[in-house]
Amino acid sequence: MSIFRYFIPLAAIAVTGCETQTSEEAKTIAKLSNCEKIMALVDEHPNQFSRLRINSKNTGTITVWDARHHLVGNNCQVWGWGKGKTDYMCSKTAPSKAIATDYFNTAKQLTQSCVGSNWTLTESPRKIGTGVKAVFSRKESPTIVSVHAVETKGLFKDEWTTYFFVGDSNDDV
C-alpha cells in the first residue's frame, strides 16, 4: 500500500496556507474515510504534523498547536514534547466511565480495522491516573496510534475523557 494514497489528499488540503479550514478543505476531508484519515495522520507523523499545526502556545515543557484540520473528532491539537516528539491528539469528554469506555472501545475497534495485521495491539492500565490504554505499534517504526480512557477529576464533578493519539510513544502514562 503506497504512503502517497493517504498523504496526497492530506497534503492537498494542508498546503493552502490558510489559518483556518475552508469549506473546500472541509469537503475534501469529509470525502476521506475514517481509515484514510487515520493513515494520513500516521504518514504525517515523520513530518511532526507540520502541515497541521497553527497557533502555537509554549508552556515550557510542552508546545501545543491548534490543529488546522480535525481529522478525528472535533477537539484536536498537536503536542510537541520531549526531545523532538510530537503527537496529534483528539479528546472527547464523557459524563461517566461507561460512556468513555464505549468511546474507547469504538475508537480501538476502528483503529484495529484500519491499521492492519502488521500492527500489534497492547492494552494495559494507565500508569498515571485511573484508566486504560490501547497502543497500536509496529516493528521498526516510532509511530504509534493509541486510545486512552482516563478519569478526569474536577472541582465540582468527575468526568472521563477518551483520548486518541497518533505520534510518539509515551510509556509514562
Side-chain angles (χ1 to χ4, degrees), residues 52-113:
L52 298 173
R53 304 184 316 211
I54 58 172
N55 306 325
S56 71
K57 298 163 203 82
N58 192 326
T59 67
T61 58
I62 186 171
T63 302
V64 177
W65 292 270
D66 294 328
R68 182 182 308 274
H69 307 289
H70 301 280
L71 296 177
V72 179
N74 296 316
N75 190 13
C76 303
Q77 301 173 320
V78 176
W79 293 357
W81 55 280
K83 294 181 181 176
K85 295 185 177 192
T86 55
D87 287 315
Y88 183 92
M89 184 284 305
C90 303
S91 64
K92 187 167 185 175
T93 302
S96 70
K97 180 180 180 179
I99 293 171
T101 300
D102 192 38
Y103 295 160
F104 171 85
N105 287 329
T106 299
K108 182 178 70 171
Q109 290 167 359
L110 171 65
T111 301
Q112 193 158 33
S113 72

Side-chain angles (χ1 to χ4, degrees), residues 2 12 14-15 18 45 57 74 88 97-98 104 131 138 152 163-164:
S2 170
V15 296
C18 299
H45 175 241
K57 298 163 203 82
N74 296 316
Y88 183 92
K97 180 180 180 179
F104 171 85
R138 55 191 168 160
T152 47
Y163 294 94
F164 181 85

Side-chain angles (χ1 to χ4, degrees), residues 3-4 12 24 50 52 73 86 96 98 100 107 109 113 120 129 144 164 171:
I3 189 171
F4 296 106
E24 263 319 296
S50 61
L52 298 173
T86 55
S96 70
Q109 290 167 359
S113 72
T120 302
I144 58 103
F164 181 85
D171 295 329

